[in-house]
């Protein structure tokens, strides 16, 4: 009977200590679980965050090097001047008249080039069939499959050189076990700046765009896919990197008319 009374009538300070231990135990479990989740998240998105950290480190230490892709956004390269070589039987004289050839070979596949983040990526087209049928699940499967081969030109949007909205979407990070080679192609898209230029190659023609805006939207804000009155390039990726919480939107406008492959191989007078 005395033992029962002891159990039923514990001193208040002992009750407080017992409650405190339980609360501390719960807090520790939450912290440990949170730490495990953070570690798993970083492991799942390690390649993307390695790119981000490396890029930030280069910026801080001043060791950033200019991407060789920067040469592709030089508008002056779009202007060619033809010259007429005077006929002559003297071989040495003819050789002196011909200036060095300044050629740009157009890729045979559609591509997008973003020098700021050193990306030169294939653009994959997706059929509009499931979009027309409003089969959203099948359309999402089509896009995810296509993203394994590069970035995706969103079906139903415009093409380079046309008035309207050209929408390109790519992964910022994706499951490490996915067989695709472009799982983190847009991991550094946050680092592009207003005024940067982007190059698109479509049908062996070159299109140059200048970034005008950069902002984030909710996944439900699909108005970014709507057509525009003038030619617009819209780049889309998930943000924060490794999550599906929001969408990073980059808007660009054309700055130069397209040039065909035949134009780009004309002889130019050296400057």
């Amino acid at each position: 009977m005395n033992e029962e009374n002891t159990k039923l009538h514990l001193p208040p300070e002992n009750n407080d200590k017992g409650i405190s231990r339980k609360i501390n135990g719960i807090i520790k479990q939450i912290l440990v679980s949170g730490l495990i989740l953070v570690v798993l998240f970083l492991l799942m998105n390690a390649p993307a965050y390695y790119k981000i950290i490396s890029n930030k480190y280069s910026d801080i230490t001043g060791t950033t090097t200019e991407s060789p892709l920067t040469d592709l956004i030089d508008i002056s390269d779009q202007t060619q001047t033809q010259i007429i070589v005077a006929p002559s039987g003297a071989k040495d004289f003819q050789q002196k008249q011909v200036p060095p050839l300044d050629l740009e070979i157009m890729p045979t596949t559609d591509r997008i080039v973003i020098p700021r983040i050193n990306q030169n990526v294939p653009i994959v087209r997706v059929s509009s069939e499931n979009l027309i049928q409003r089969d959203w699940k099948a359309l999402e499967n089509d896009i995810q499959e296509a993203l394994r081969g590069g970035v995706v030109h969103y079906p139903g949007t415009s093409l380079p050189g046309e008035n309207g909205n050209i929408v390109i979407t790519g992964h910022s990070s994706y499951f490490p076990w996915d067989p695709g080679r472009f799982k983190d192609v847009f991991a550094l898209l946050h680092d592009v700046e207003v005024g940067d230029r982007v190059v698109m190659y479509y049908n062996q023609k070159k299109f140059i765009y200048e970034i005008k805006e950069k902002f984030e939207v909710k996944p439900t804000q699909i108005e970014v896919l709507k057509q525009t009155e003038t030619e617009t390039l819209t780049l889309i990726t998930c943000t924060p990197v490794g999550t599906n919480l929001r969408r990073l939107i980059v808007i660009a406008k054309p700055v130069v008319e397209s040039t065909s492959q035949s134009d780009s191989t004309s002889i130019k007078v050296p400057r």
Side-chain angles (χ1 to χ4, degrees), residues 164 196-198 208-213 228-233 251-256:
D196 286 351
R197 286 178 179 162
V198 176
I208 300 179
Y209 301 86
E210 184 174 298
I211 295 174
K212 301 296 184 182
E213 296 180 75
T228 53
E229 294 182 0
T230 59
E231 185 176 357
T232 303
L233 172 63
I251 305 293
K253 293 287 186 177
V255 294
V256 67

Side-chain angles (χ1 to χ4, degrees), residues 167 169 190 213-226 234-240 243-251:
V167 179
T169 183
H190 300 75
E213 296 180 75
K214 185 175 68 170
F215 55 91
E216 295 181 8
V217 298
K218 297 176 182 178
T220 54
Q221 293 176 268
I222 59 175
E223 57 268 21
V224 294
L225 302 176
K226 290 182 178 179
T234 301
L235 307 180
I236 302 177
T237 194
C238 294
T239 189
T243 74
N244 198 32
L245 299 177
R246 295 180 67 80
R247 301 289 184 268
L248 174 66
I249 310 297
V250 175
I251 305 293

Side-chain angles (χ1 to χ4, degrees), residues 71-81 102-111 160-162 198-209 231 254-266 268:
D71 293 341
L72 298 178
I73 60 176
D74 185 1
I75 297 179
S76 63
D77 287 342
Q78 306 299 311
T79 304
Q80 289 87 21
T81 303
D102 188 0
L103 306 180
E104 181 178 349
I105 306 302
M106 300 294 176
T108 57
T109 58
D110 299 340
R111 304 187 74 84
E162 299 177 351
V198 176
V199 176
M200 284 187 67
Y201 292 99
Y202 170 70
N203 198 23
Q204 290 195 293
K205 292 182 180 180
K206 182 178 180 179
F207 302 83
I208 300 179
Y209 301 86
E231 185 176 357
V255 294
V256 67
E257 293 183 356
S258 64
T259 58
S260 66
Q261 185 177 19
S262 58
D263 291 335
S264 65
T265 57
S266 300
K268 296 195 294 184

Side-chain angles (χ1 to χ4, degrees), residues 64-193:
T64 303
T65 57
E66 186 176 68
S67 169
L69 300 175
T70 304
D71 293 341
L72 298 178
I73 60 176
D74 185 1
I75 297 179
S76 63
D77 287 342
Q78 306 299 311
T79 304
Q80 289 87 21
T81 303
Q82 292 185 345
I83 64 171
I84 299 176
V85 179
S88 173
K91 183 177 179 181
D92 292 342
F93 178 75
Q94 287 183 337
Q95 289 178 343
K96 290 179 181 179
Q97 289 189 92
V98 179
L101 296 181
D102 188 0
L103 306 180
E104 181 178 349
I105 306 302
M106 300 294 176
T108 57
T109 58
D110 299 340
R111 304 187 74 84
I112 186 168
V113 179
I114 309 177
R116 171 71 68 175
I117 59 176
N118 199 32
Q119 290 293 337
N120 181 357
V121 193
I123 300 174
V124 184
R125 299 283 301 278
V126 173
S127 171
S128 299
E129 181 179 354
N130 288 318
L131 177 65
I132 294 170
Q133 295 178 357
R134 303 178 71 85
D135 189 340
W136 309 124
K137 184 177 181 180
L139 177 62
E140 177 65 18
N141 290 337
D142 289 344
I143 292 174
Q144 291 300 329
E145 180 69 25
L147 284 169
R148 293 177 176 177
V151 294
V152 168
H153 172 257
Y154 200 90
T157 63
S158 296
L159 296 169
E162 299 177 351
N163 283 337
N165 192 11
I166 310 156
V167 179
I168 302 294
T169 183
H171 283 310
S172 61
S173 186
Y174 202 55
F175 300 120
W177 55 81
D178 186 86
R181 296 194 301 112
F182 301 95
K183 292 187 284 289
D184 53 9
V185 66
F186 277 171
L188 297 178
L189 192 61
H190 300 75
D191 293 338
V192 300
E193 300 175 1

Side-chain angles (χ1 to χ4, degrees), residues 19-38:
I19 293 172
S20 298
R21 281 196 296 268
K22 288 181 179 180
I23 293 174
N24 290 336
I26 292 171
I27 292 173
K28 287 180 181 178
Q29 288 180 355
I30 292 173
L31 291 176
V32 171
S33 299
L35 180 61
I36 292 173
L37 289 175
V38 169

